[in-house]
Amino acid sequence: MTPRRLRIRACTVLGTVALLAIVAGCRGARRGATSVAPATAIAVSDSARRAGARADSVRADSVRADSVQAESLVVAATAARKDSVAARDSVTRAAAQRDSLAAVAKRPAKKATSSATSRNCVLDFADSPPETRLLYTRLPDSTANTFIGGGFVGRCQGENNRISADSAEQFESAGIVNMYGNVVYEEPNKLRVTAAHATYFTREGRLFADGGVVATQLATGSTFSGPNIEYYRVMPGRPVARLVAPNRPTAQLIEKDSTGKPSQPTIVTADRFEDVGDTLVLGWGDVIITREKIIGRSDSLAYNKTTQLARLVRAARIRSMDTSQAFTLNGDTIDLFTTDKKLDRVFALHSATATNKDLVINAERIDLRLKEQKIDEAFAFGKGRARARTPQQDVEADSMRIVLTDQRPREVRAIGGAVAMGVPDTLKIKSSDRDMLRGDSLFAYFDTTQAPADTSKQTRIKQIHAFGNASSLFQIASKKGPTAPPALNYVRGQRIFVQFDTGSVRDVRVDSAASGLYLEPTPDSLADTTAKTSVAKKPPLAPTAPRPESPASTFFPLPAAAVTISRRPS
């Protein structure tokens, strides 16, 4: 009640008391009158009036004194009320500042529901340092806004995570927690994210961190680093966690052997990464992968940590960084297989090409087997034909197997309509034509006795074996020198064995239904012997009739010089 109302009520009480006193005096005078003489009555009446006047005067003084005392009491009560309100406000503020942290920590957690969109984060600051400052504001909708400074460590009640930062703010109604400065988000034995700033969306279970972000998978030590990273934690409706890293991040993938020893990290860079359940890593956009001494590039990447299988997709390329034994593998898709944390197989799909110093392989599919980061075997097959080229021999077949020693071809096995074409000895024969060997299958063997460190020498062919419907056409050096046209040796049979000496044909052996021709050029009798050319061009003479089992001479194109046909002595 205000002081003005108190004064009005006091005046009203005093007026009522005065009126009652006057009325009482009048009634008392009437009750005290008797039948007396007029003079006596007049005297008594005068005395009564004087006594009543004195009584009224006393009562008036008393009323005025009571009024003043009442006003004093009202003023004192008002001042006391103000002091009491101020003291109560001061105590309330002090209590709020002293107990706010405990009040927030003791709030009962809201009952979790199965819907991810209704999940709220109730922050628990029990592990925060003593210098933590907190401002807690309760809103009409029973939610609150919390502002924290001086460093804090907390977690969301009911969630297995831990959050720390220099400062933070929580908007409970929006389901957002903003963190600033030295942010660390951690899930024990799973993930730790460090950043300059982060926002945690409590209802979605999503963390967005930016500013020098590093996400470490605690089980293996693998890391993702980049400008910003999004993390989706496990929650109802999301059985596995997901980590998304855009804006050209870098990943260091670490694998551990059976003893727990970590291997050399595999470094991967891409425009965008996604890690699913700490098991599958996906990358998009100009992917570069570096593993020990091998570099791979492609448009996208998929890597399964459980099966240790990596796949490079679109314009994929693998290159060895060992310059002494370099090789490259190109294809639309390349798979990399790892056993015991070591790369031991590389498989290229769709228009694949494998290249090293002494060998080039082209096929629809190429399968390389590695030992100590060096090619040990190569398989070429698939739709179309497989081709292998060496400095001296080109081999073509439906499929091939190439065995290498120190990445030099040692053996080539070609299956299915195999054809081998070789360059004759250029020191003895000057010809643009190539020697040829055909068969259902071909086995070619190369000389690997030279020292592996001697890179100046090329691998030389030693022998070729042809099996099934075999035929061969080789050029034989003329005794007149390398400028003279070479002789031609054509044979066919079920099996043909060709021996080489320093890269040139030494002998040809045929068994099972053997037949063939030996063609030797002869000089033109009408040619001008004084001319600079050693052989004059004339229409060929008619050859002798070949044996019935011999093929027509057009089966292999012959030189346009004059020749005679004869059989080599057996």
Side-chain angles (χ1 to χ4, degrees):
M1 185 176 295
T2 63
R4 179 179 178 83
R5 288 187 176 183
L6 290 174
R7 287 193 298 269
I8 293 174
R9 177 167 293 183
C11 293
T12 303
V13 171
L14 293 176
T16 303
V17 171
L19 179 61
L20 291 176
I22 294 172
V23 172
C26 294
R27 288 183 178 180
R30 285 197 300 271
R31 281 197 303 270
T34 57
S35 178
V36 294
T40 304
I42 293 172
V44 172
S45 177
D46 290 338
S47 299
R49 280 195 298 271
R50 286 194 296 270
R54 285 195 298 269
D56 290 341
S57 177
V58 171
R59 282 195 295 270
D61 292 339
S62 176
V63 169
R64 282 195 297 272
D66 292 340
S67 176
V68 171
Q69 185 178 4
E71 288 181 0
S72 300
L73 292 173
V74 168
V75 172
T78 302
R81 182 178 179 84
K82 288 182 179 180
D83 294 340
S84 176
V85 170
R88 187 169 58 253
D89 290 344
S90 177
V91 171
T92 302
R93 284 195 298 271
Q97 292 176 354
R98 184 177 59 255
D99 300 333
S100 57
L101 187 59
V104 174
K106 292 180 180 179
R107 282 194 309 164
K110 294 184 179 180
K111 186 177 180 180
T113 63
S114 60
S115 174
T117 58
S118 62
R119 190 184 188 94
N120 274 327
C121 174
V122 179
L123 287 177
D124 184 348
F125 304 99
D127 297 331
S128 293
E131 59 270 16
T132 298
R133 302 182 305 275
L134 183 143
L135 176 61
Y136 178 81
T137 305
R138 194 73 172 176
L139 301 179
D141 59 355
S142 298
T143 62
N145 293 339
T146 307
F147 303 90
I148 311 163
F152 88 101
V153 177
R155 63 182 181 88
C156 292
Q157 293 183 2
E159 298 181 9
N160 188 22
N161 58 10
R162 184 176 182 271
I163 306 171
S164 64
D166 293 343
S167 59
E169 55 188 11
Q170 181 189 22
F171 302 95
E172 188 177 359
S173 61
I176 293 176
V177 179
N178 292 321
M179 294 163 280
Y180 306 93
N182 299 314
V183 177
V184 179
Y185 175 91
E186 183 173 348
E187 293 183 3
N189 301 321
K190 289 186 178 181
L191 181 78
R192 181 173 63 248
V193 179
T194 61
H197 168 260
T199 300
Y200 183 51
F201 299 86
T202 60
R203 296 176 183 175
E204 304 172 28
R206 175 168 66 98
L207 175 75
F208 178 82
D210 61 316
V213 185
V214 178
T216 304
Q217 294 171 336
L218 301 178
T220 60
S222 300
T223 62
F224 295 84
S225 57
N228 53 290
I229 287 177
E230 281 186 288
Y231 174 67
Y232 298 80
R233 66 187 306 273
V234 176
M235 60 186 305
R238 189 186 301 139
V240 295
R242 290 174 55 236
L243 186 148
V244 179
N247 300 322
R248 199 70 187 169
T250 298
Q252 289 192 6
L253 306 179
I254 299 176
E255 299 171 343
K256 296 182 179 180
D257 57 19
S258 57
T259 63
K261 181 180 179 181
S263 62
Q264 290 291 329
T266 299
I267 302 175
V268 187
T269 304
D271 291 344
R272 176 185 174 89
F273 277 118
E274 181 173 339
D275 182 276
V276 181
D278 197 10
T279 301
L280 181 63
V281 178
L282 305 174
W284 297 272
D286 191 18
V287 177
I288 301 175
I289 178 171
T290 303
R291 183 182 183 123
E292 296 181 5
K293 296 182 179 181
I294 293 179
I295 295 179
R297 302 195 69 160
S298 66
D299 180 71
S300 57
L301 162 74
Y303 175 60
N304 191 313
K305 298 179 183 179
T306 303
T307 62
Q308 302 179 32
L309 169 63
R311 169 166 288 188
L312 304 177
V313 182
R314 293 194 185 94
R317 182 182 182 185
I318 295 292
R319 177 174 60 87
S320 172
M321 293 186 293
D322 186 356
T323 56
S324 62
Q325 299 291 342
F327 76 89
T328 60
L329 178 64
N330 298 328
D332 183 72
T333 301
I334 295 180
D335 292 339
L336 294 91
F337 298 84
T338 303
T339 302
D340 295 331
K341 317 305 179 185
K342 292 184 178 180
L343 182 66
D344 60 0
R345 183 184 176 193
V346 181
F347 184 46
L349 305 173
H350 313 307
S351 302
T353 301
T355 306
N356 75 350
K357 179 178 177 58
D358 297 312
L359 179 66
V360 178
I361 306 173
N362 299 99
E364 177 67 12
R365 300 184 178 188
I366 295 178
D367 189 352
L368 302 181
R369 306 300 173 90
L370 282 69
K371 285 185 178 180
E372 302 300 329
Q373 307 299 314
K374 296 180 181 179
I375 302 176
D376 185 65
E377 283 185 293
F379 299 88
F381 56 96
K383 183 179 179 181
R385 301 278 281 175
R387 297 174 177 84
R389 297 197 306 272
T390 67
Q392 288 186 315
Q393 294 289 327
D394 292 349
V395 182
E396 180 179 321
D398 292 341
S399 60
M400 279 188 241
R401 178 194 178 198
I402 300 101
V403 181
L404 299 97
T405 299
D406 292 320
Q407 296 195 173
R408 295 175 181 269
R410 185 185 74 203
E411 179 182 336
V412 177
R413 296 190 177 189
I415 309 298
V419 179
M421 293 175 288
V423 178
D425 188 351
T426 56
L427 296 178
K428 299 177 181 180
I429 300 173
K430 301 295 183 182
S431 174
S432 60
D433 296 327
R434 308 191 72 182
D435 297 337
M436 185 177 297
L437 180 64
R438 294 176 181 267
D440 293 340
S441 60
L442 292 177
F443 291 179
Y445 302 91
F446 296 83
D447 184 9
T448 58
T449 58
Q450 55 191 1
D454 184 5
T455 59
S456 62
K457 295 182 180 180
Q458 296 177 341
T459 303
R460 293 184 180 275
I461 185 84
K462 289 198 306 183
Q463 55 184 324
I464 301 179
H465 301 169
F467 302 93
N469 300 317
S471 63
S472 67
L473 176 65
F474 291 98
Q475 304 175 71
I476 307 300
S478 174
K479 296 179 180 180
K480 297 180 181 180
T483 58
L488 300 177
N489 182 40
Y490 169 75
V491 294
R492 68 179 185 178
Q494 283 299 109
R495 292 182 294 272
I496 297 178
F497 304 92
V498 182
Q499 298 289 334
F500 294 82
D501 185 10
T502 64
S504 59
V505 178
R506 187 177 68 186
D507 60 63
V508 179
R509 182 168 59 88
V510 185
D511 65 4
S512 300
S515 62
L517 296 172
Y518 178 76
L519 308 176
E520 190 174 66
T522 58
D524 187 358
S525 59
L526 301 178
D528 184 2
T529 57
T530 62
K532 295 182 179 180
T533 57
S534 61
V535 179
K537 292 184 179 181
K538 286 192 63 177
L541 301 176
T544 60
R547 297 195 317 187
E549 66 272 20
S550 299
S553 61
T554 57
F555 186 79
F556 294 101
L558 302 179
V563 295
T564 60
I565 299 177
S566 62
R567 294 186 179 87
R568 296 187 64 185
S570 57

